[in-house]
Amino acid sequence: ALFTLMMAAIDADVDDMELTEGEEEGTSIVYTDPKETGAMFEAIKAMGLEEGSKMSLSHVTKAPVECTEEDFEKNMAIIDALEELDDVDSVEHNMSN
């Protein structure tokens, strides 16, 4: 399935992508440049895989930072507090641990 997805991406002129197996059996995850997301999703639909497919945007850091356990716990406490706010949809970070 990953090979077929890769070929569909190439056919759709999607240059910047990463394909990985999903957590559930028989699923795949496609990471691509936000500008190419629409073309990739159209390629997936053209393969007949539209049912059960979903598209979402998420931040994937290119510069992960490892911090001490103490700093990690402090940062996560702040992130948890921010996520509790009604006006906050999500909080992204680049901590690798």
Side-chain angles (χ1 to χ4, degrees), residues 5 8 11 64 78:
L5 278 172
D11 290 343
I78 292 169

Side-chain angles (χ1 to χ4, degrees), residues 1-96:
L2 290 179
F3 179 76
T4 307
L5 278 172
M6 187 175 3
M7 295 310 296
I10 291 169
D11 290 343
D13 294 324
V14 175
D15 298 320
D16 187 15
M17 67 182 163
E18 178 184 338
L19 302 173
T20 61
E21 290 189 32
E23 291 181 13
E24 296 180 30
E25 186 176 334
T27 63
S28 299
I29 299 172
V30 180
Y31 294 100
T32 187
D33 186 287
K35 292 176 263 174
E36 297 180 330
T37 303
M40 187 67 227
F41 198 62
E42 289 300 318
I44 290 169
K45 291 193 304 190
M47 294 172 56
L49 300 174
E50 183 174 6
E51 186 177 327
S53 296
K54 66 178 181 175
M55 178 176 66
S56 64
L57 295 176
S58 64
H59 175 76
V60 178
T61 183
K62 292 185 179 184
V65 175
E66 189 167 335
C67 55
T68 65
E69 191 65 33
E70 180 182 344
D71 287 342
F72 179 78
E73 289 177 15
K74 288 178 183 178
N75 289 333
M76 289 308 297
I78 292 169
I79 290 170
D80 290 341
L82 289 171
E83 288 177 335
E84 293 294 320
L85 298 173
D86 291 338
D87 293 338
V88 176
D89 292 327
S90 68
V91 178
E92 305 295 333
H93 64 81
N94 65 339
M95 294 181 293
S96 64

